[in-house]
Every structure is written in structure tokens, then in C-alpha cells.
Amino acid sequence: MSLRQFIASRILLRSFDIIKDNAVLKWKEFASIFGLEDDLYYNPRHRKITRPVTAILIGAGHRGSNYASYSKKFPEELKIVGVADINPEKRKKTAKAYNIPEHMIFNDWSTVFKIEKLADAVIIATPDNLHTAPCLAALDAGYDILLEKPIAPSEEECREILHKAQETNRIVGVCHVLRYSPYFRELKTILDAGLIGDIISIHHMEPIEHVHMSHSYVRGKWRNSKKATPIILAKSCHDTDIIRWLVGSEAHDVHCFGNLRWFKTANAPEGSTERCTDGCKVENSCAYSALQIYYRDRKRLYVFDLPEDRSDWDNSILEQLKTTDYGRCVFKMDNDQPDHLTVNILFENGVTAAFSMEAHVSYEGRRTRIMGSKGDIIGDMETFVMTDFKTKKQVTWSLKTDAHGGGDHLLVKDWVQAISQQDKTLLSSSIEASVESHLMAFAAERSRLNRTIEDIRI
């Protein structure tokens, strides 16, 4: 039987007393003792899809393209039949990748909804401040939706999308991909089974990694909270969502401290210039040199429109570093996002959670500590160790995945199944389930700015 079937049958393992020989067991060894199977991708409610779900990609950037790529692996389940993007290069690239005919290529999302319905669904991965209008239009036009997080840049707009989805009875899946990562799915299963007793508290950390921070939230399109969304929403609504999901109780109070400490003009080194390409005297020693990150190391190049011929990349990258924000000095931007913050959350069931978002670290990958009444768990997105207090026995689980824990395509798989069966309960991160994490994030930002404790009971 699968682990989920095992738990559903209420044969719950409440302690490790039955394990006599080893102090530490790997997860597969642990599972084999109880006749369990590797079930990371197993869902008994999934059915064979007889006709692929058709979808139009609205916003053909990095995230949207990643979700759309599911159709490359599973063409019998999902077919990308159209694309809408203001960027002609992205439109051209997407059209070529999915053999999209000319009449299904749009340079404006609004055009899609001015004509007769063209597909079963749309994938909306436009910039954060451009989620609400296309989402509402898609719902009115009868489309089901996969919506990149955050849902919308304001609490009012989030609620508007929720109400419209309920009014039109359409399926809206929100891209809270961590719920679909094998790591967090197994953690959730363990907690629901009571293997460490009652949850008492959670410590959770998101280390953004210093270059990632400079790329996305200092130089990038999320650098200014007023023009985009606050970082607690743009980056860490993943974390408020996963904490809420693991705890399994409504949030009660939220309190937050945080500020912008490092990436500001006062900390600009002597000899620095407006751009890294302007002859900056400290460029060679700067950890945030655009020339080092993009030109020499070839990192995070998905933000650039690069020619197909890689031999032309040097000139193209240099030119774009001279003309785009990605070539500017990180200490001389118009950024206002905090580079560190701490959020404390009290839930209705008495569980407390402490969340920390940190930019000034050399690594990525969430760190999680869960304290229970009978045991605890320590994990880092690829491995966790579960320890029983009484027996001191430990079980380890490990799986190396991508930055989102391997959850992107698992999310799309459930979304496709939900649309095919017209059953939104097949989605872990439906709009109904995902809104609360956004309310927690908005409350945290209010608390940070106003130094208040925010009551967010719905």
C-alpha cells in the first residue's frame, strides 16, 4: 500500500518502538518495514486523461514557460495552443516551441478574451501587478486558470478574484508549488499521521541567497514594493502558505520586524559607479558585480533576450548590462524591499511559528524545524531527520530536487487533473486554500511598517 493509503486506513505509527535494530533509518528502509511503497507521485484520485487539456499561456517569461513545459513531457495531458506576451521575442520563442499557429499568437492579453473561447484554460504568469485584470477577464470568459503567485498585489484584489471564481464556478489554481514538492508532501503526511505527536511550534527560514536577492529584489522587477508587491508577498507567500498548510489551523495574530539594511546608497563603496560597466574601481572585488554574475559566470540569464547563436552572447549580454537595470550598481537603485525580516504567527490551535527571510546568506533552500509533543523534525528541503523523544530512534528522508523542491510539474499535474475532471478538490492550492497565506503576508507587511500586532482572523 502507499503511505497515504496507510495513513487513511488509520494504522498510525505513534512511536518507533517497533524498530529495534537501528538508531537511524533511511526513509525507504522505514517504509519497507511497513510494506509501504515510494508514492511521491501517486494520487489514487487521478484518472487517465482521454483528451489533453488545452491552455493559452499569458505571460511567457521564466515561470510561465516552466509550467507550460509540462506539455512537453506529457502531451497527452496538456497542450499549449496559444500565447500572449508583449515581448515579441518571447512570443516567437513560445510559438516555435509549441507549434502555435499565427492566429493564436497575441501581443496583448486582453485580445484573448474579446473573441470566442479558444481553449479550456489559461496560465497567467504576467507581472505581479498585472494578475487581477486578466484573471477576472478569464473567469468571465469561462476559462479555468493556473495563476502564478502572488494572487494579486492587494488584499482587496485577492478577495475580488476569490469571489469571482466562486461566482463563476471556475477552477483557479494558485502556484504555491511548495505544497507539491516531495519534501513538504512527506512532512505533511508525517504531521497528519501524528508521528511526532501534536505540533507545538515551527521555526522556518527562507535563505534567499545574496546574489538571488540582488538579482530579483535589488536590480530586478520586484525591487520596489510600491511598483510591484512587498517581498513578504512576492517571495515569501510560499512560506506563509506552507506554514499554514503544515499547521492545519487558521492564523490568529501576526507580528513582523524587518528593514533594508545593506543595499542602499549609504553603503556604496568609494569608487563605485552607476553601472558596473562604467569603469567601477571596485567591480573586481564586489560580490554583486553584474559583469561577474551575468557576463563571466553566465548566471540568471533568463532575464535577457539572447540570440540563438551562443557565439553572439558576449556582445548581447554586455549591451544589455549597459542599458537595463541588471547592469546597475546594487547600492544605487530605487529598491525599498527589506533584506531581512522576521515574522511571528499565532494560530487558533495555539501553535506558534517563527519565520525568517534572509538575503545575506551564501545558500538557498528552506530550513525547517518542527517541534512536536512526541518528537521533532529538522529539514532543509532535500533531507529531513525525524527523532522520537522516548526511543531516540531517527528516520531520515532525502531527495535532491530543484529550487522549488520539484513541485512545479506536480502542481501542473494536479491542475490538469482538476480541469479534466472538473473537480477543484483535486488541487491542494486552489484559490480558496491559498488566499489566507496572502492575508498573512499583507498583515505582516502592515505590522512591519506600523510596528503592530495584526489580527487576521477571517
Side-chain angles (χ1 to χ4, degrees), residues 306-338:
L306 297 174
E308 291 187 16
D309 187 348
R310 286 177 174 260
S311 65
D312 295 332
W313 278 21
D314 278 1
N315 291 333
S316 180
I317 293 171
L318 283 176
E319 183 59 32
Q320 293 183 68
L321 291 182
K322 293 176 182 177
T323 57
T324 70
D325 291 323
Y326 294 101
R328 294 174 63 190
C329 175
V330 293
F331 299 102
K332 301 178 181 182
M333 301 294 299
D334 62 338
N335 58 303
D336 69 350
Q337 301 281 24

Short mmCIF file of all heavy atoms in Angstrom, two decimals, residues 306-338:
data_model
loop_
_atom_site.label_atom_id
_atom_site.label_comp_id
_atom_site.label_asym_id
_atom_site.label_seq_id
_atom_site.Cartn_x
_atom_site.Cartn_y
_atom_site.Cartn_z
N LEU A 306 18.38 36.75 -25.51
CA LEU A 306 19.66 36.38 -26.11
C LEU A 306 19.46 35.73 -27.47
O LEU A 306 18.48 35.01 -27.68
CB LEU A 306 20.42 35.42 -25.18
CG LEU A 306 20.82 36.00 -23.82
CD1 LEU A 306 21.43 34.91 -22.94
CD2 LEU A 306 21.78 37.16 -23.98
N PRO A 307 20.39 35.95 -28.39
CA PRO A 307 20.29 35.33 -29.72
C PRO A 307 20.46 33.81 -29.63
O PRO A 307 21.05 33.30 -28.67
CB PRO A 307 21.44 35.97 -30.50
CG PRO A 307 22.41 36.42 -29.45
CD PRO A 307 21.59 36.80 -28.25
N GLU A 308 19.92 33.11 -30.60
CA GLU A 308 20.04 31.65 -30.60
C GLU A 308 21.50 31.22 -30.76
O GLU A 308 21.91 30.20 -30.21
CB GLU A 308 19.19 31.07 -31.73
CG GLU A 308 17.69 31.20 -31.50
CD GLU A 308 16.88 30.47 -32.54
OE1 GLU A 308 17.46 29.62 -33.26
OE2 GLU A 308 15.66 30.73 -32.64
N ASP A 309 22.27 31.98 -31.49
CA ASP A 309 23.69 31.67 -31.70
C ASP A 309 24.48 32.09 -30.45
O ASP A 309 24.65 33.28 -30.17
CB ASP A 309 24.21 32.41 -32.94
CG ASP A 309 25.64 31.99 -33.29
OD1 ASP A 309 26.29 31.31 -32.47
OD2 ASP A 309 26.10 32.37 -34.40
N ARG A 310 24.97 31.12 -29.71
CA ARG A 310 25.67 31.41 -28.46
C ARG A 310 26.97 32.19 -28.67
O ARG A 310 27.46 32.83 -27.74
CB ARG A 310 25.97 30.12 -27.71
CG ARG A 310 24.73 29.51 -27.05
CD ARG A 310 25.05 28.19 -26.36
NE ARG A 310 23.89 27.70 -25.62
CZ ARG A 310 23.73 27.83 -24.30
NH1 ARG A 310 24.67 28.43 -23.59
NH2 ARG A 310 22.65 27.38 -23.70
N SER A 311 27.50 32.14 -29.85
CA SER A 311 28.73 32.90 -30.11
C SER A 311 28.48 34.41 -30.07
O SER A 311 29.41 35.20 -29.96
CB SER A 311 29.33 32.51 -31.47
OG SER A 311 28.46 32.88 -32.53
N ASP A 312 27.22 34.82 -30.15
CA ASP A 312 26.86 36.24 -30.10
C ASP A 312 26.48 36.69 -28.70
O ASP A 312 26.13 37.85 -28.50
CB ASP A 312 25.69 36.52 -31.05
CG ASP A 312 26.06 36.29 -32.51
OD1 ASP A 312 27.24 36.46 -32.83
OD2 ASP A 312 25.15 35.97 -33.30
N TRP A 313 26.54 35.79 -27.73
CA TRP A 313 26.07 36.12 -26.40
C TRP A 313 26.93 37.18 -25.70
O TRP A 313 26.39 38.03 -24.99
CB TRP A 313 26.01 34.85 -25.54
CG TRP A 313 24.75 34.05 -25.76
CD1 TRP A 313 23.93 34.11 -26.85
CD2 TRP A 313 24.18 33.09 -24.87
NE1 TRP A 313 22.89 33.24 -26.71
CE2 TRP A 313 23.01 32.59 -25.51
CE3 TRP A 313 24.54 32.57 -23.64
CZ2 TRP A 313 22.20 31.62 -24.91
CZ3 TRP A 313 23.74 31.59 -23.05
CH2 TRP A 313 22.58 31.14 -23.68
N ASP A 314 28.22 37.13 -25.86
CA ASP A 314 29.10 38.10 -25.17
C ASP A 314 28.65 39.53 -25.45
O ASP A 314 28.43 40.32 -24.52
CB ASP A 314 30.55 37.92 -25.61
CG ASP A 314 31.25 36.79 -24.88
OD1 ASP A 314 30.59 36.14 -24.04
OD2 ASP A 314 32.44 36.56 -25.13
N ASN A 315 28.53 39.87 -26.72
CA ASN A 315 28.14 41.23 -27.09
C ASN A 315 26.74 41.56 -26.63
O ASN A 315 26.47 42.69 -26.17
CB ASN A 315 28.25 41.41 -28.60
CG ASN A 315 29.69 41.40 -29.09
OD1 ASN A 315 30.61 41.75 -28.34
ND2 ASN A 315 29.90 41.01 -30.34
N SER A 316 25.84 40.58 -26.73
CA SER A 316 24.45 40.82 -26.33
C SER A 316 24.34 41.08 -24.83
O SER A 316 23.65 42.01 -24.40
CB SER A 316 23.58 39.63 -26.73
OG SER A 316 22.24 39.84 -26.35
N ILE A 317 25.01 40.28 -24.02
CA ILE A 317 24.96 40.46 -22.57
C ILE A 317 25.55 41.80 -22.17
O ILE A 317 24.97 42.56 -21.37
CB ILE A 317 25.69 39.31 -21.85
CG1 ILE A 317 24.94 37.99 -22.05
CG2 ILE A 317 25.83 39.61 -20.35
CD1 ILE A 317 25.71 36.77 -21.57
N LEU A 318 26.71 42.13 -22.73
CA LEU A 318 27.36 43.41 -22.41
C LEU A 318 26.46 44.59 -22.77
O LEU A 318 26.34 45.56 -22.00
CB LEU A 318 28.70 43.52 -23.13
CG LEU A 318 29.86 42.73 -22.54
CD1 LEU A 318 31.09 42.86 -23.43
CD2 LEU A 318 30.18 43.21 -21.12
N GLU A 319 25.83 44.52 -23.93
CA GLU A 319 24.95 45.60 -24.36
C GLU A 319 23.77 45.76 -23.41
O GLU A 319 23.38 46.88 -23.05
CB GLU A 319 24.45 45.33 -25.79
CG GLU A 319 23.59 46.44 -26.36
CD GLU A 319 24.29 47.79 -26.40
OE1 GLU A 319 25.53 47.82 -26.59
OE2 GLU A 319 23.59 48.82 -26.23
N GLN A 320 23.21 44.63 -22.96
CA GLN A 320 22.06 44.71 -22.06
C GLN A 320 22.45 45.13 -20.65
O GLN A 320 21.66 45.75 -19.94
CB GLN A 320 21.32 43.36 -22.05
CG GLN A 320 20.66 43.07 -23.41
CD GLN A 320 19.85 41.79 -23.43
OE1 GLN A 320 18.81 41.69 -22.79
NE2 GLN A 320 20.32 40.81 -24.19
N LEU A 321 23.68 44.86 -20.26
CA LEU A 321 24.16 45.36 -18.97
C LEU A 321 24.36 46.87 -19.00
O LEU A 321 24.31 47.54 -17.97
CB LEU A 321 25.47 44.67 -18.57
CG LEU A 321 25.38 43.18 -18.21
CD1 LEU A 321 26.75 42.65 -17.80
CD2 LEU A 321 24.36 42.94 -17.10
N LYS A 322 24.57 47.42 -20.19
CA LYS A 322 24.73 48.87 -20.35
C LYS A 322 23.40 49.60 -20.44
O LYS A 322 23.35 50.83 -20.27
CB LYS A 322 25.55 49.17 -21.59
CG LYS A 322 27.00 48.70 -21.51
CD LYS A 322 27.73 48.94 -22.84
CE LYS A 322 29.16 48.44 -22.78
NZ LYS A 322 29.86 48.61 -24.08
N THR A 323 22.32 48.86 -20.68
CA THR A 323 21.04 49.52 -20.95
C THR A 323 19.90 49.11 -20.02
O THR A 323 18.88 49.79 -19.96
CB THR A 323 20.60 49.24 -22.40
OG1 THR A 323 20.51 47.82 -22.60
CG2 THR A 323 21.59 49.83 -23.39
N THR A 324 20.06 47.98 -19.30
CA THR A 324 18.98 47.52 -18.42
C THR A 324 19.37 47.68 -16.95
O THR A 324 20.53 47.95 -16.62
CB THR A 324 18.65 46.03 -18.68
OG1 THR A 324 19.75 45.22 -18.20
CG2 THR A 324 18.41 45.77 -20.16
N ASP A 325 18.41 47.49 -16.08
CA ASP A 325 18.66 47.61 -14.64
C ASP A 325 19.61 46.55 -14.12
O ASP A 325 20.22 46.73 -13.05
CB ASP A 325 17.34 47.53 -13.88
CG ASP A 325 16.44 48.74 -14.12
OD1 ASP A 325 16.99 49.85 -14.23
OD2 ASP A 325 15.21 48.57 -14.20
N TYR A 326 19.77 45.46 -14.83
CA TYR A 326 20.64 44.38 -14.35
C TYR A 326 22.11 44.74 -14.41
O TYR A 326 22.94 44.03 -13.85
CB TYR A 326 20.35 43.10 -15.14
CG TYR A 326 18.97 42.58 -14.86
CD1 TYR A 326 17.92 42.78 -15.76
CD2 TYR A 326 18.69 41.92 -13.66
CE1 TYR A 326 16.64 42.34 -15.48
CE2 TYR A 326 17.41 41.47 -13.38
CZ TYR A 326 16.38 41.69 -14.28
OH TYR A 326 15.11 41.25 -14.00
N GLY A 327 22.46 45.85 -15.06
CA GLY A 327 23.84 46.30 -15.08
C GLY A 327 24.13 47.41 -14.09
O GLY A 327 25.27 47.87 -13.97
N ARG A 328 23.11 47.83 -13.35
CA ARG A 328 23.28 48.95 -12.42
C ARG A 328 23.89 48.51 -11.09
O ARG A 328 23.80 47.35 -10.69
CB ARG A 328 21.92 49.63 -12.17
CG ARG A 328 21.34 50.30 -13.41
CD ARG A 328 19.93 50.82 -13.16
NE ARG A 328 19.91 51.85 -12.13
CZ ARG A 328 18.78 52.33 -11.59
NH1 ARG A 328 17.60 51.86 -11.99
NH2 ARG A 328 18.84 53.27 -10.68
N CYS A 329 24.47 49.46 -10.39
CA CYS A 329 25.08 49.21 -9.08
C CYS A 329 23.98 48.89 -8.06
O CYS A 329 22.97 49.61 -7.98
CB CYS A 329 25.87 50.43 -8.62
SG CYS A 329 26.55 50.28 -6.95
N VAL A 330 24.16 47.84 -7.27
CA VAL A 330 23.14 47.43 -6.31
C VAL A 330 22.95 48.44 -5.18
O VAL A 330 21.94 48.41 -4.48
CB VAL A 330 23.45 46.05 -5.70
CG1 VAL A 330 23.36 44.96 -6.75
CG2 VAL A 330 24.81 46.04 -5.02
N PHE A 331 23.92 49.35 -5.03
CA PHE A 331 23.82 50.34 -3.97
C PHE A 331 23.20 51.66 -4.46
O PHE A 331 23.05 52.60 -3.67
CB PHE A 331 25.21 50.62 -3.39
CG PHE A 331 25.86 49.41 -2.78
CD1 PHE A 331 26.85 48.73 -3.47
CD2 PHE A 331 25.46 48.93 -1.54
CE1 PHE A 331 27.46 47.61 -2.93
CE2 PHE A 331 26.05 47.80 -0.99
CZ PHE A 331 27.05 47.13 -1.69
N LYS A 332 22.83 51.70 -5.74
CA LYS A 332 22.33 52.95 -6.31
C LYS A 332 21.05 52.72 -7.10
O LYS A 332 20.86 53.28 -8.18
CB LYS A 332 23.42 53.58 -7.19
CG LYS A 332 24.71 53.88 -6.41
CD LYS A 332 25.82 54.46 -7.26
CE LYS A 332 27.06 54.71 -6.43
NZ LYS A 332 28.16 55.33 -7.20
N MET A 333 20.17 51.91 -6.53
CA MET A 333 18.90 51.58 -7.17
C MET A 333 17.76 52.32 -6.46
O MET A 333 17.97 53.05 -5.50
CB MET A 333 18.67 50.07 -7.10
CG MET A 333 19.75 49.22 -7.78
SD MET A 333 19.83 49.42 -9.57
CE MET A 333 18.21 48.89 -10.06
N ASP A 334 16.55 52.10 -6.95
CA ASP A 334 15.37 52.66 -6.30
C ASP A 334 14.64 51.58 -5.51
O ASP A 334 13.43 51.61 -5.35
CB ASP A 334 14.42 53.29 -7.33
CG ASP A 334 13.90 52.27 -8.33
OD1 ASP A 334 14.54 51.21 -8.51
OD2 ASP A 334 12.85 52.54 -8.95
N ASN A 335 15.40 50.61 -4.99
CA ASN A 335 14.82 49.49 -4.23
C ASN A 335 14.42 49.91 -2.83
O ASN A 335 15.03 50.80 -2.23
CB ASN A 335 15.83 48.34 -4.15
CG ASN A 335 17.14 48.78 -3.50
OD1 ASN A 335 17.79 49.71 -3.96
ND2 ASN A 335 17.53 48.10 -2.43
N ASP A 336 13.39 49.25 -2.31
CA ASP A 336 12.97 49.51 -0.93
C ASP A 336 12.62 48.23 -0.18
O ASP A 336 12.16 48.27 0.96
CB ASP A 336 11.78 50.48 -0.89
CG ASP A 336 10.50 49.86 -1.44
OD1 ASP A 336 10.54 48.75 -2.03
OD2 ASP A 336 9.43 50.49 -1.28
N GLN A 337 12.84 47.06 -0.80
CA GLN A 337 12.47 45.81 -0.16
C GLN A 337 13.43 45.49 0.99
O GLN A 337 14.64 45.61 0.85
CB GLN A 337 12.51 44.66 -1.17
CG GLN A 337 11.60 44.83 -2.38
CD GLN A 337 10.14 44.51 -2.08
OE1 GLN A 337 9.70 44.58 -0.93
NE2 GLN A 337 9.38 44.18 -3.11
N PRO A 338 12.91 45.07 2.14
CA PRO A 338 13.80 44.68 3.24
C PRO A 338 14.66 43.50 2.85
O PRO A 338 14.23 42.61 2.11
CB PRO A 338 12.83 44.32 4.37
CG PRO A 338 11.53 44.01 3.70
CD PRO A 338 11.49 44.90 2.49
#
